[in-house]
Amino acid sequence: FDVDAFLNIIDFYIERNDPVKALQVIDYAKQQHPASVEFLLREAQLLGMVERPNEALSILGNAEKLSPTDPDIYMIRGSIYSQQQKFELAIENFNKAIPLATELDLLYLNIAYVYESWGDYDKAIKYLKLCLDDNQENEIALYEIAFCFEFTDKLDDSVAFYKQFIDRCPYSFPAWYNLGNVHNRRGDFEDAL
């Protein structure tokens, strides 16, 4: 098999939530393609999922030596550090990925999750806004920012944000839905309707 065929098989097992078989395929794939960084990244990702973070971090170190400009290395490492509640290291690695990544919305969303876990909802809101600037259709970010505004009791800021967002994206169901919920929480029932 070529690299792409192996990646498809690995992804199949990941989607089926079968990390053991996915890791078996990775072992076989690495024998045929020992210089492939993609297999190292998938392996590190899977090891992080099955709570073997030290092995995952070691593999990411090897991958970084082979391909230091691959943003996935820093994203996966950031996710592992976040799972370990090493938030400073997580943010540091996500920040390393920013200048290397092409799709920033997922990266900004992950940074927002770290700040939420860390209890810094204002910074989470900042990165969720960046996420939505990069991809206005990221519904997860729209719902997550609603949670952050509600948790910090910044309902006025939430209304202002959603009104600006709706001006740019008037057909966004989640934005209208969240704006209605905020108006309802504020007791502005006519505006909510």
Side-chain angles (χ1 to χ4, degrees), residues 166 173 175-193:
I166 288 169
F173 169 82
W176 283 106
Y177 176 80
N178 289 336
L179 179 59
N181 280 333
V182 175
H183 280 304
N184 187 47
R185 282 187 204 95
R186 288 174 33 164
D188 302 333
F189 301 120
E190 286 189 32
D191 288 334
L193 289 173

PDB file of all heavy atoms in Angstrom, residues 166 173 175-193:
ATOM      1  N   ILE A 166     -24.330  38.613  13.094  1.00  0.00           N
ATOM      2  CA  ILE A 166     -25.488  38.457  12.210  1.00  0.00           C
ATOM      3  C   ILE A 166     -25.450  39.473  11.078  1.00  0.00           C
ATOM      4  O   ILE A 166     -25.893  39.178   9.962  1.00  0.00           O
ATOM      5  CB  ILE A 166     -26.797  38.527  13.027  1.00  0.00           C
ATOM      6  CG1 ILE A 166     -26.936  37.234  13.850  1.00  0.00           C
ATOM      7  CG2 ILE A 166     -28.005  38.739  12.136  1.00  0.00           C
ATOM      8  CD1 ILE A 166     -28.028  37.270  14.906  1.00  0.00           C
ATOM      9  N   PHE A 173     -28.111  30.205  11.481  1.00  0.00           N
ATOM     10  CA  PHE A 173     -29.090  29.693  12.456  1.00  0.00           C
ATOM     11  C   PHE A 173     -28.550  29.720  13.880  1.00  0.00           C
ATOM     12  O   PHE A 173     -29.231  30.200  14.790  1.00  0.00           O
ATOM     13  CB  PHE A 173     -29.532  28.275  12.061  1.00  0.00           C
ATOM     14  CG  PHE A 173     -30.315  27.583  13.127  1.00  0.00           C
ATOM     15  CD1 PHE A 173     -31.672  27.831  13.270  1.00  0.00           C
ATOM     16  CD2 PHE A 173     -29.702  26.708  14.012  1.00  0.00           C
ATOM     17  CE1 PHE A 173     -32.408  27.215  14.275  1.00  0.00           C
ATOM     18  CE2 PHE A 173     -30.421  26.087  15.022  1.00  0.00           C
ATOM     19  CZ  PHE A 173     -31.779  26.335  15.153  1.00  0.00           C
ATOM     20  N   ALA A 175     -26.338  31.574  15.281  1.00  0.00           N
ATOM     21  CA  ALA A 175     -26.198  32.941  15.801  1.00  0.00           C
ATOM     22  C   ALA A 175     -27.564  33.493  16.220  1.00  0.00           C
ATOM     23  O   ALA A 175     -27.698  34.078  17.303  1.00  0.00           O
ATOM     24  CB  ALA A 175     -25.545  33.838  14.753  1.00  0.00           C
ATOM     25  N   TRP A 176     -28.569  33.313  15.381  1.00  0.00           N
ATOM     26  CA  TRP A 176     -29.917  33.772  15.728  1.00  0.00           C
ATOM     27  C   TRP A 176     -30.443  33.033  16.960  1.00  0.00           C
ATOM     28  O   TRP A 176     -31.030  33.633  17.860  1.00  0.00           O
ATOM     29  CB  TRP A 176     -30.883  33.561  14.558  1.00  0.00           C
ATOM     30  CG  TRP A 176     -30.736  34.585  13.482  1.00  0.00           C
ATOM     31  CD1 TRP A 176     -30.163  34.416  12.261  1.00  0.00           C
ATOM     32  CD2 TRP A 176     -31.175  35.948  13.526  1.00  0.00           C
ATOM     33  NE1 TRP A 176     -30.216  35.583  11.545  1.00  0.00           N
ATOM     34  CE2 TRP A 176     -30.842  36.544  12.294  1.00  0.00           C
ATOM     35  CE3 TRP A 176     -31.824  36.725  14.484  1.00  0.00           C
ATOM     36  CZ2 TRP A 176     -31.131  37.865  11.996  1.00  0.00           C
ATOM     37  CZ3 TRP A 176     -32.113  38.048  14.186  1.00  0.00           C
ATOM     38  CH2 TRP A 176     -31.760  38.604  12.951  1.00  0.00           C
ATOM     39  N   TYR A 177     -30.217  31.739  16.999  1.00  0.00           N
ATOM     40  CA  TYR A 177     -30.660  30.920  18.126  1.00  0.00           C
ATOM     41  C   TYR A 177     -30.017  31.406  19.427  1.00  0.00           C
ATOM     42  O   TYR A 177     -30.695  31.593  20.442  1.00  0.00           O
ATOM     43  CB  TYR A 177     -30.313  29.450  17.859  1.00  0.00           C
ATOM     44  CG  TYR A 177     -30.639  28.529  18.995  1.00  0.00           C
ATOM     45  CD1 TYR A 177     -31.941  28.081  19.195  1.00  0.00           C
ATOM     46  CD2 TYR A 177     -29.652  28.117  19.876  1.00  0.00           C
ATOM     47  CE1 TYR A 177     -32.255  27.224  20.246  1.00  0.00           C
ATOM     48  CE2 TYR A 177     -29.951  27.266  20.930  1.00  0.00           C
ATOM     49  CZ  TYR A 177     -31.241  26.821  21.115  1.00  0.00           C
ATOM     50  OH  TYR A 177     -31.535  25.988  22.155  1.00  0.00           O
ATOM     51  N   ASN A 178     -28.696  31.597  19.404  1.00  0.00           N
ATOM     52  CA  ASN A 178     -27.989  32.053  20.603  1.00  0.00           C
ATOM     53  C   ASN A 178     -28.412  33.459  21.015  1.00  0.00           C
ATOM     54  O   ASN A 178     -28.538  33.748  22.203  1.00  0.00           O
ATOM     55  CB  ASN A 178     -26.484  31.979  20.398  1.00  0.00           C
ATOM     56  CG  ASN A 178     -25.982  30.551  20.358  1.00  0.00           C
ATOM     57  OD1 ASN A 178     -26.601  29.644  20.890  1.00  0.00           O
ATOM     58  ND2 ASN A 178     -24.853  30.346  19.707  1.00  0.00           N
ATOM     59  N   LEU A 179     -28.632  34.331  20.027  1.00  0.00           N
ATOM     60  CA  LEU A 179     -29.092  35.685  20.345  1.00  0.00           C
ATOM     61  C   LEU A 179     -30.460  35.630  21.021  1.00  0.00           C
ATOM     62  O   LEU A 179     -30.703  36.338  22.008  1.00  0.00           O
ATOM     63  CB  LEU A 179     -29.153  36.548  19.083  1.00  0.00           C
ATOM     64  CG  LEU A 179     -29.639  37.991  19.260  1.00  0.00           C
ATOM     65  CD1 LEU A 179     -28.740  38.754  20.227  1.00  0.00           C
ATOM     66  CD2 LEU A 179     -29.700  38.693  17.906  1.00  0.00           C
ATOM     67  N   GLY A 180     -31.340  34.777  20.530  1.00  0.00           N
ATOM     68  CA  GLY A 180     -32.645  34.604  21.166  1.00  0.00           C
ATOM     69  C   GLY A 180     -32.521  34.120  22.595  1.00  0.00           C
ATOM     70  O   GLY A 180     -33.225  34.603  23.501  1.00  0.00           O
ATOM     71  N   ASN A 181     -31.623  33.193  22.830  1.00  0.00           N
ATOM     72  CA  ASN A 181     -31.406  32.688  24.188  1.00  0.00           C
ATOM     73  C   ASN A 181     -30.881  33.772  25.122  1.00  0.00           C
ATOM     74  O   ASN A 181     -31.287  33.850  26.290  1.00  0.00           O
ATOM     75  CB  ASN A 181     -30.429  31.503  24.181  1.00  0.00           C
ATOM     76  CG  ASN A 181     -31.107  30.214  23.788  1.00  0.00           C
ATOM     77  OD1 ASN A 181     -32.302  30.047  23.982  1.00  0.00           O
ATOM     78  ND2 ASN A 181     -30.334  29.301  23.233  1.00  0.00           N
ATOM     79  N   VAL A 182     -29.963  34.594  24.626  1.00  0.00           N
ATOM     80  CA  VAL A 182     -29.412  35.669  25.456  1.00  0.00           C
ATOM     81  C   VAL A 182     -30.513  36.664  25.813  1.00  0.00           C
ATOM     82  O   VAL A 182     -30.634  37.075  26.981  1.00  0.00           O
ATOM     83  CB  VAL A 182     -28.238  36.385  24.748  1.00  0.00           C
ATOM     84  CG1 VAL A 182     -27.767  37.578  25.565  1.00  0.00           C
ATOM     85  CG2 VAL A 182     -27.091  35.429  24.517  1.00  0.00           C
ATOM     86  N   HIS A 183     -31.313  37.045  24.815  1.00  0.00           N
ATOM     87  CA  HIS A 183     -32.424  37.969  25.108  1.00  0.00           C
ATOM     88  C   HIS A 183     -33.372  37.353  26.138  1.00  0.00           C
ATOM     89  O   HIS A 183     -33.860  38.046  27.040  1.00  0.00           O
ATOM     90  CB  HIS A 183     -33.188  38.322  23.831  1.00  0.00           C
ATOM     91  CG  HIS A 183     -32.523  39.365  22.993  1.00  0.00           C
ATOM     92  ND1 HIS A 183     -32.177  40.611  23.481  1.00  0.00           N
ATOM     93  CD2 HIS A 183     -32.150  39.361  21.694  1.00  0.00           C
ATOM     94  CE1 HIS A 183     -31.620  41.331  22.519  1.00  0.00           C
ATOM     95  NE2 HIS A 183     -31.580  40.591  21.425  1.00  0.00           N
ATOM     96  N   ASN A 184     -33.635  36.071  26.036  1.00  0.00           N
ATOM     97  CA  ASN A 184     -34.508  35.386  26.987  1.00  0.00           C
ATOM     98  C   ASN A 184     -33.923  35.450  28.400  1.00  0.00           C
ATOM     99  O   ASN A 184     -34.643  35.721  29.362  1.00  0.00           O
ATOM    100  CB  ASN A 184     -34.718  33.934  26.545  1.00  0.00           C
ATOM    101  CG  ASN A 184     -35.741  33.229  27.397  1.00  0.00           C
ATOM    102  OD1 ASN A 184     -36.814  33.751  27.673  1.00  0.00           O
ATOM    103  ND2 ASN A 184     -35.409  32.014  27.817  1.00  0.00           N
ATOM    104  N   ARG A 185     -32.620  35.201  28.530  1.00  0.00           N
ATOM    105  CA  ARG A 185     -31.964  35.248  29.849  1.00  0.00           C
ATOM    106  C   ARG A 185     -32.004  36.653  30.448  1.00  0.00           C
ATOM    107  O   ARG A 185     -32.052  36.811  31.666  1.00  0.00           O
ATOM    108  CB  ARG A 185     -30.518  34.767  29.750  1.00  0.00           C
ATOM    109  CG  ARG A 185     -30.423  33.275  29.675  1.00  0.00           C
ATOM    110  CD  ARG A 185     -28.978  32.800  29.753  1.00  0.00           C
ATOM    111  NE  ARG A 185     -28.893  31.502  29.134  1.00  0.00           N
ATOM    112  CZ  ARG A 185     -28.550  31.254  27.875  1.00  0.00           C
ATOM    113  NH1 ARG A 185     -28.206  32.241  27.084  1.00  0.00           N
ATOM    114  NH2 ARG A 185     -28.523  30.031  27.413  1.00  0.00           N
ATOM    115  N   ARG A 186     -31.952  37.643  29.575  1.00  0.00           N
ATOM    116  CA  ARG A 186     -31.997  39.033  30.057  1.00  0.00           C
ATOM    117  C   ARG A 186     -33.421  39.482  30.375  1.00  0.00           C
ATOM    118  O   ARG A 186     -33.627  40.567  30.900  1.00  0.00           O
ATOM    119  CB  ARG A 186     -31.407  39.968  28.994  1.00  0.00           C
ATOM    120  CG  ARG A 186     -29.920  39.853  28.863  1.00  0.00           C
ATOM    121  CD  ARG A 186     -29.344  40.654  27.734  1.00  0.00           C
ATOM    122  NE  ARG A 186     -30.055  41.901  27.463  1.00  0.00           N
ATOM    123  CZ  ARG A 186     -29.571  42.894  26.748  1.00  0.00           C
ATOM    124  NH1 ARG A 186     -28.370  42.802  26.237  1.00  0.00           N
ATOM    125  NH2 ARG A 186     -30.267  43.976  26.536  1.00  0.00           N
ATOM    126  N   GLY A 187     -34.407  38.669  30.031  1.00  0.00           N
ATOM    127  CA  GLY A 187     -35.795  39.039  30.244  1.00  0.00           C
ATOM    128  C   GLY A 187     -36.371  39.877  29.129  1.00  0.00           C
ATOM    129  O   GLY A 187     -37.479  40.413  29.257  1.00  0.00           O
ATOM    130  N   ASP A 188     -35.653  39.993  28.017  1.00  0.00           N
ATOM    131  CA  ASP A 188     -36.136  40.728  26.848  1.00  0.00           C
ATOM    132  C   ASP A 188     -36.920  39.751  25.960  1.00  0.00           C
ATOM    133  O   ASP A 188     -36.476  39.339  24.895  1.00  0.00           O
ATOM    134  CB  ASP A 188     -34.965  41.322  26.050  1.00  0.00           C
ATOM    135  CG  ASP A 188     -34.103  42.256  26.873  1.00  0.00           C
ATOM    136  OD1 ASP A 188     -34.629  42.853  27.826  1.00  0.00           O
ATOM    137  OD2 ASP A 188     -32.905  42.382  26.546  1.00  0.00           O
ATOM    138  N   PHE A 189     -38.130  39.412  26.430  1.00  0.00           N
ATOM    139  CA  PHE A 189     -38.876  38.315  25.804  1.00  0.00           C
ATOM    140  C   PHE A 189     -39.331  38.644  24.384  1.00  0.00           C
ATOM    141  O   PHE A 189     -39.326  37.776  23.523  1.00  0.00           O
ATOM    142  CB  PHE A 189     -40.044  37.902  26.678  1.00  0.00           C
ATOM    143  CG  PHE A 189     -39.591  37.448  28.048  1.00  0.00           C
ATOM    144  CD1 PHE A 189     -40.048  38.123  29.192  1.00  0.00           C
ATOM    145  CD2 PHE A 189     -38.721  36.382  28.201  1.00  0.00           C
ATOM    146  CE1 PHE A 189     -39.609  37.723  30.435  1.00  0.00           C
ATOM    147  CE2 PHE A 189     -38.287  35.975  29.460  1.00  0.00           C
ATOM    148  CZ  PHE A 189     -38.731  36.647  30.579  1.00  0.00           C
ATOM    149  N   GLU A 190     -39.715  39.900  24.127  1.00  0.00           N
ATOM    150  CA  GLU A 190     -40.127  40.243  22.764  1.00  0.00           C
ATOM    151  C   GLU A 190     -38.953  40.132  21.809  1.00  0.00           C
ATOM    152  O   GLU A 190     -39.104  39.625  20.698  1.00  0.00           O
ATOM    153  CB  GLU A 190     -40.725  41.659  22.731  1.00  0.00           C
ATOM    154  CG  GLU A 190     -42.114  41.711  23.351  1.00  0.00           C
ATOM    155  CD  GLU A 190     -42.764  43.069  23.115  1.00  0.00           C
ATOM    156  OE1 GLU A 190     -42.509  43.693  22.068  1.00  0.00           O
ATOM    157  OE2 GLU A 190     -43.527  43.473  24.009  1.00  0.00           O
ATOM    158  N   ASP A 191     -37.767  40.611  22.221  1.00  0.00           N
ATOM    159  CA  ASP A 191     -36.587  40.492  21.378  1.00  0.00           C
ATOM    160  C   ASP A 191     -36.214  39.015  21.210  1.00  0.00           C
ATOM    161  O   ASP A 191     -35.772  38.600  20.141  1.00  0.00           O
ATOM    162  CB  ASP A 191     -35.392  41.253  21.971  1.00  0.00           C
ATOM    163  CG  ASP A 191     -35.559  42.768  21.853  1.00  0.00           C
ATOM    164  OD1 ASP A 191     -36.281  43.219  20.944  1.00  0.00           O
ATOM    165  OD2 ASP A 191     -34.953  43.470  22.663  1.00  0.00           O
ATOM    166  N   ALA A 192     -36.415  38.231  22.253  1.00  0.00           N
ATOM    167  CA  ALA A 192     -36.110  36.813  22.159  1.00  0.00           C
ATOM    168  C   ALA A 192     -36.989  36.150  21.106  1.00  0.00           C
ATOM    169  O   ALA A 192     -36.516  35.336  20.311  1.00  0.00           O
ATOM    170  CB  ALA A 192     -36.295  36.136  23.515  1.00  0.00           C
ATOM    171  N   LEU A 193     -38.267  36.494  21.106  1.00  0.00           N
ATOM    172  CA  LEU A 193     -39.180  35.932  20.101  1.00  0.00           C
ATOM    173  C   LEU A 193     -38.801  36.405  18.706  1.00  0.00           C
ATOM    174  O   LEU A 193     -38.805  35.651  17.758  1.00  0.00           O
ATOM    175  CB  LEU A 193     -40.633  36.338  20.399  1.00  0.00           C
ATOM    176  CG  LEU A 193     -41.233  35.653  21.609  1.00  0.00           C
ATOM    177  CD1 LEU A 193     -42.608  36.250  21.923  1.00  0.00           C
ATOM    178  CD2 LEU A 193     -41.378  34.149  21.363  1.00  0.00           C
TER     179      LEU A 193
END
